[in-house]
Amino acid sequence: MSKVLDGITVIEQGTFITGPAAGMLLGDLGANVIKVEQPGTGDPFRAFKGGLYSPHYQTYNRNKRSIELNIKDPGDAAVFDDLIRGADVYIQNFRPGAAERMNAGQERLRALNPRLVYCAISGFGQTGPAAGRPAYDTVAQAASGFLNLLVDPAHPRVVGPAIADALTGFYAAYGVLGALVERARTGVGRVVEVSMLEAMCHFNLDAFTHFLSEGEIMDPYSRPRVSQSYVLACADGGRIALHMSSPEKFWRGLADAMERPDILADPRFATREGRIANQEALIDILGAVFAGRTRDEWCQRLAERDVPHAPVYDTAEALRDPQARHLQLEVEAMHPSLGPWRTVRSPVSFDGELPTEVSPPPLLGEHNAQIRAELAQAGATTSCKDPS
């Protein structure tokens, strides 16, 4: 069964996360993604323990092929131009102005191929007072107001994965797909621009909406209070998460599971508004109760009463969960020289078919000969066509 982007060729000249993430997402949907890399070193994210195949690099570079090109070299520059002439999409995440200095600016590339969808990813936008500043994940999270919602005010430190980087890649792929749909009508490509700042501000839309509509500035506990979300430690050291939301039936089920019907009779906790206002006191009560049973015991009791919950898994536990196994989230592929390679598949299915086929991230320059041969064949085919 062909994939939805079968026949679409993407030239990705990305490094680190944002550009490669966008390319990977398109590759997951079946696009032919060709990663253009600097000879010898490649994407800086490759470097790891003296090698060029780091876990960071592997995360964002499956379903691609790699070709080494030094576009300052006239021969390699000609190969790059041939790639662009046959491409549908070009992706870069350089600082503003760098692509032009590399002869990879949108005007030149779209002159070579007017159908090209040119995607430029930046930290702070292509213009403006901060356009030239270096931007990494934490910088974008902070500038967008998002980091303020994650940091514990009492013990401020950065937590969690590279959310801004990955989300910017998602937004870039989203923009590319929109431009491809329009191109099907017009025959002309677009320049797609997205910055990490814009992506994270949009992802943080709930906080901005509260501010713009009500003048409210949210803090790290604003959403958990309203959604009535909890993380509670159990007797065996495991933890469990609850997201009680607003239906009263969930609280009745929770009270029954805890064998504490008196909790809902307490005026502080009898209504949703009361539970929001008194969440700190409720956390103390729930914490004492949940400490009396193991995580598995609580999961069984809560499931029997249809209470929204999940064990707080670590990475290994999450993949062992029966539902994760049923959905075949972990998939394996065979790299021609490195052997078995495992990853988590794309979450998007079409017509009920799980996307379990994946190709491992390429070694640096793994497809040099293959891609050059394809370009030579395409050139020979073009030259053999009847000019009339």
Side-chain angles (χ1 to χ4, degrees):
M1 180 178 178
S2 66
K3 295 190 176 182
V4 293
L5 289 186
D6 186 31
I8 296 295
T9 294
V10 178
I11 307 303
E12 179 221 296
Q13 205 170 11
T15 59
F16 296 105
I17 298 180
T18 56
M24 181 194 72
L25 290 167
L26 299 174
D28 283 352
L29 296 179
N32 167 31
V33 182
I34 298 174
K35 186 177 180 73
V36 174
E37 302 190 71
Q38 187 69 20
T41 55
D43 184 339
F45 234 28
R46 284 182 172 274
F48 181 69
K49 295 183 177 180
L52 295 174
Y53 207 69
S54 75
H56 295 302
Y57 162 77
Q58 293 179 50
T59 300
Y60 300 102
N61 287 282
R62 67 191 184 198
N63 292 325
K64 299 178 186 179
R65 295 186 293 164
S66 169
I67 183 172
E68 295 171 284
L69 293 177
N70 175 9
I71 58 177
K72 294 181 181 178
D73 174 81
D76 282 4
V79 172
F80 177 76
D81 284 0
D82 285 344
L83 286 171
I84 294 300
R85 290 187 184 97
D88 299 282
V89 179
Y90 169 78
I91 299 172
Q92 55 94 338
N93 61 322
F94 307 130
R95 284 203 210 184
E100 286 71 19
R101 292 191 294 272
M102 298 168 59
N103 281 328
Q106 63 92 4
E107 288 188 8
R108 195 183 83 83
L109 298 196
R110 294 182 71 221
L112 291 173
N113 179 0
R115 289 177 52 83
L116 185 71
V117 173
Y118 185 106
C119 179
I121 304 170
S122 62
F124 289 97
Q126 298 296 320
T127 60
R133 286 173 50 191
Y136 288 95
D137 180 84
T138 304
V139 174
Q141 286 195 43
S144 66
F146 187 77
L147 188 63
N148 188 56
L149 301 178
L150 299 182
V151 172
D152 180 352
H155 304 283
R157 61 177 298 178
V158 176
V159 299
I163 298 172
D165 281 328
L167 281 170
T168 303
F170 271 87
Y171 279 109
Y174 161 79
V176 165
L177 291 174
L180 287 173
V181 170
E182 185 194 53
R183 194 192 68 174
R185 298 193 304 267
T186 66
V188 179
R190 285 268 196 169
V191 177
V192 178
E193 295 177 349
V194 61
S195 71
M196 296 173 71
L197 177 61
E198 291 166 294
M200 284 309 296
C201 283
H202 186 272
F203 186 72
N204 199 21
L205 187 58
D206 184 53
F208 285 114
T209 302
H210 276 77
F211 171 69
L212 295 172
S213 65
E214 298 294 330
E216 175 189 353
I217 296 179
M218 299 178 75
D219 63 44
Y221 306 112
S222 297
R223 187 199 65 85
R225 279 193 296 268
V226 174
S227 65
Q228 285 292 283
S229 300
Y230 301 84
V231 172
L232 303 165
C234 304
D236 56 353
R239 290 174 293 172
I240 197 161
L242 305 175
H243 189 119
M244 302 303 294
S245 191
S246 56
E248 287 296 317
K249 65 176 184 177
F250 294 149
W251 279 100
R252 291 194 296 270
L254 177 61
D256 186 44
M258 296 191 303
E259 299 176 356
R260 289 289 305 273
D262 59 295
I263 286 179
L264 297 183
D266 188 317
R268 295 175 298 170
F269 314 131
T271 65
R272 179 171 182 265
E273 292 75 14
R275 293 188 288 269
I276 291 172
N278 296 284
Q279 189 182 40
E280 295 300 321
L282 192 49
I283 287 173
D284 291 339
I285 293 172
L286 296 181
V289 174
F290 270 73
R293 299 180 190 269
T294 67
R295 189 176 74 178
D296 286 346
E297 288 177 302
W298 280 118
C299 285
Q300 180 177 347
R301 295 178 71 86
L302 296 170
E304 289 171 351
R305 294 160 177 83
D306 197 33
V307 178
H309 75 284
V312 179
Y313 285 145
D314 63 25
T315 309
E317 290 176 311
L319 292 176
R320 293 197 298 263
D321 183 89
Q323 184 63 23
R325 287 182 170 175
H326 170 76
L327 293 172
Q328 301 176 58
L329 289 178
E330 182 182 330
V331 295
E332 182 175 297
M334 187 66 67
H335 190 280
S337 60
L338 299 179
W341 180 79
R342 296 182 297 168
T343 189
V344 172
R345 65 168 178 81
S346 166
V348 181
S349 300
F350 296 93
D351 298 327
E353 183 173 334
L354 297 179
T356 56
E357 293 185 7
V358 64
S359 62
L363 298 175
L364 177 61
E366 180 177 335
H367 304 95
N368 283 343
Q370 182 186 75
I371 295 170
R372 286 174 179 270
E374 290 172 358
L375 290 173
Q377 179 61 38
T381 302
T382 301
S383 65
C384 289
K385 288 182 179 179
D386 184 351
S388 62

